[in-house]
Amino acid sequence: MSWQAGLYLEKGYAFEGVGFGAEVAMGGEAVFNTGMTGYQEIFTDPSYHEQIVVMSYPHLGNTGINSGDWESKSLYLSGVVAREYNNKPSSWRSDQTLSQLLEAHKIPGISDVDTREITEIIRDEGAQRGIIFPLSSLKGRSLEACGKELIAKVEPMEGLELVSRVSCKKPYEFPGAKTGSAGTVVVYDYGVKTNILRSFTEQNFKTMVVPYNYPYQEALSYKPTAVVLSNGPGDPAGVPDAVPQIEGLLGKTPILAICMGHQLLARTLGCQTYKLSFGHHGINHPVRDLTSGKILITSQNHGFSVKAQDLKSKDVSVSHVSLNDDTVEGFFSEKMKFYSVQFHPEAKPGPSDAASIFDYFVRGFLK
């Protein structure tokens, strides 16, 4: 069931469109994603917590929602913006529509707006707070006046701690490994995607998932073959509880860090992180592997980055850089046995160019 909807951005831009999903007001940081496929994996990624995702690809909803492509057990984003929404999916795998999914999780969507214009605003003026709301709430006010009032309650992303809201509350074993003969991997859950966990169980690792602030002594009691620091939402500077645990693990076990884990590892090493203007959100980001010289097309979802100059003074080597903006995309230390990447080697959605990161880590750091 559709409804009249409004979208307001904090820098004064207002759009009127057709609502789908839950007919509620909800706000968050508005970011754009350039992916042309895989919207279910995008919307179920916990890293989008407190964000409104503007899809630059014009069509949304064509393949519906299925039971196999979830990247978490819930939805954490604050809204969806589409140029055109199709409420009659044609995929044989579909068991519900995107609108039904959003409605069940009390999340609004808006379509019939110019997503090219919105993407250009975010690109030129930076990610900014936004809010989607029913026009029925105007009550004689203008869309701009109502949006300005509602958006005042939306928290800015910089300094926002979100990891504790999406992390598991107690340890659990992720199912899938047949025997666990490859060893045990302990995954710190900062908002982990299912396919990161699956990437290890498929190599027959017993995979234990633990909360973001789990004491490192307890993590080491599993006698892990390796520890993984996962992806997650929010500002890495706002997660101080994670740093002491990572510090306690350094040098005691091999570590693979991904996205938020990459940023938190850098902060543990004394590096600073900073907010990008509009972040990297999509499945077509080119990254240069400085070791091999190869170019990887990667899946990415982050709004913060590591200061390159801070890494130069550490006992680490930069391994990957973005070809879009020269930001640090990876670093490693053979001495301390860690490998860290800003992009998502597990993809889902996205190309498989970077999947070799898992194999490289297993061969180079665990043998």
Side-chain angles (χ1 to χ4, degrees):
M1 182 177 177
S2 61
W3 40 280
Q4 288 185 301
L7 168 67
Y8 183 78
L9 302 178
E10 70 172 295
K11 296 192 177 179
Y13 299 96
F15 302 86
E16 185 174 336
V18 177
F20 59 98
E23 191 174 350
V24 296
M26 185 171 285
E29 182 184 53
V31 299
F32 64 85
N33 187 295
T34 56
M36 296 180 289
T37 186
Y39 61 79
Q40 180 174 337
E41 291 99 324
I42 292 169
F43 299 158
T44 57
D45 180 351
S47 295
Y48 280 112
H49 189 32
E50 297 292 339
Q51 289 183 317
I52 292 174
V53 183
V54 181
M55 297 299 293
S56 64
Y57 188 72
H59 298 284
L60 201 61
N62 295 351
T63 54
I65 299 295
N66 66 76
S67 60
D69 289 342
W70 286 73
E71 286 300 324
S72 68
K73 294 180 179 179
S74 187
L75 269 69
Y76 296 94
L77 77 171
S78 296
V80 174
V81 182
R83 175 66 187 92
E84 296 180 29
Y85 170 65
N86 177 9
N87 203 42
K88 296 181 179 179
S90 58
S91 172
W92 63 271
R93 300 177 69 216
S94 174
D95 49 40
Q96 64 177 315
T97 67
L98 173 59
S99 184
Q100 288 171 330
L101 175 69
L102 294 177
E103 188 169 10
H105 290 269
K106 298 180 174 56
I107 296 170
I110 183 172
S111 66
D112 292 64
V113 293
D114 190 342
T115 50
R116 293 174 301 178
E117 180 183 359
I118 297 168
T119 297
E120 287 182 350
I121 290 169
I122 296 171
R123 182 196 65 189
D124 296 342
E125 301 189 30
Q128 54 197 273
R129 291 179 299 165
I131 190 159
I132 299 171
F133 57 96
L135 295 188
S136 59
S137 62
L138 293 180
K139 297 179 181 179
R141 296 170 295 173
S142 69
L143 192 154
E144 290 83 355
C146 186
K148 193 172 184 179
E149 177 185 321
L150 292 170
I151 208 169
K153 301 176 184 178
V154 179
E155 296 179 280
M157 186 60 68
E158 198 158 10
L160 191 57
E161 192 281 295
L162 297 175
V163 165
S164 63
R165 305 185 195 179
V166 300
S167 178
C168 62
K169 304 305 179 188
K170 58 183 181 180
Y172 68 92
E173 182 178 348
F174 183 74
K178 292 180 179 178
T179 64
S181 58
T184 298
V185 169
V186 174
V187 180
Y188 272 79
D189 179 11
Y190 305 133
V192 68
K193 289 174 63 181
T194 298
N195 208 53
I196 290 177
L197 304 177
R198 190 180 295 122
S199 296
F200 285 99
T201 57
E202 286 177 349
Q203 296 195 51
N204 211 23
F205 284 95
K206 178 181 178 181
T207 305
M208 295 299 304
V209 185
V210 301
Y212 78 102
N213 58 354
Y214 196 64
Y216 71 89
Q217 300 93 333
E218 296 296 321
L220 292 173
S221 72
Y222 288 106
K223 297 183 179 179
T225 308
V227 167
V228 176
L229 310 177
S230 83
N231 64 293
D235 187 342
V239 199
D241 289 351
V243 170
Q245 312 315 326
I246 300 172
E247 190 173 32
L249 294 167
L250 279 173
K252 297 183 178 68
T253 180
I255 295 174
L256 174 65
I258 298 171
C259 200
M260 172 60 80
H262 163 89
Q263 296 163 7
L264 289 174
L265 176 57
R267 293 191 67 84
T268 304
L269 294 170
C271 302
Q272 296 297 306
T273 50
Y274 65 97
K275 196 173 190 309
L276 296 166
S277 177
F278 51 82
H280 299 171
H281 311 278
I283 59 175
N284 52 0
H285 287 257
V287 168
R288 183 186 297 278
D289 183 333
L290 299 180
T291 303
S292 68
K294 292 181 179 180
I295 308 301
L296 309 176
I297 304 302
T298 66
S299 177
Q300 301 204 13
N301 178 21
H302 60 98
F304 293 82
S305 188
V306 175
K307 285 190 176 181
Q309 59 267 34
D310 289 354
L311 282 169
K312 291 177 182 178
S313 63
K314 308 300 176 185
D315 186 25
V316 298
S317 300
V318 174
S319 58
H320 297 80
V321 295
S322 168
L323 293 183
N324 285 339
D325 58 13
D326 291 323
T327 52
V328 175
E329 291 282 348
F331 58 84
F332 70 95
S333 171
E334 292 183 353
K335 179 180 179 181
M336 290 183 280
K337 287 195 172 183
F338 63 69
Y339 201 84
S340 183
V341 292
Q342 180 64 82
F343 49 89
H344 283 255
E346 84 288 346
K348 301 297 182 186
S352 58
D353 291 28
S356 59
I357 294 295
F358 291 108
D359 293 331
Y360 177 77
F361 178 70
V362 171
R363 291 196 315 270
F365 288 78
L366 306 189
K367 301 299 185 184

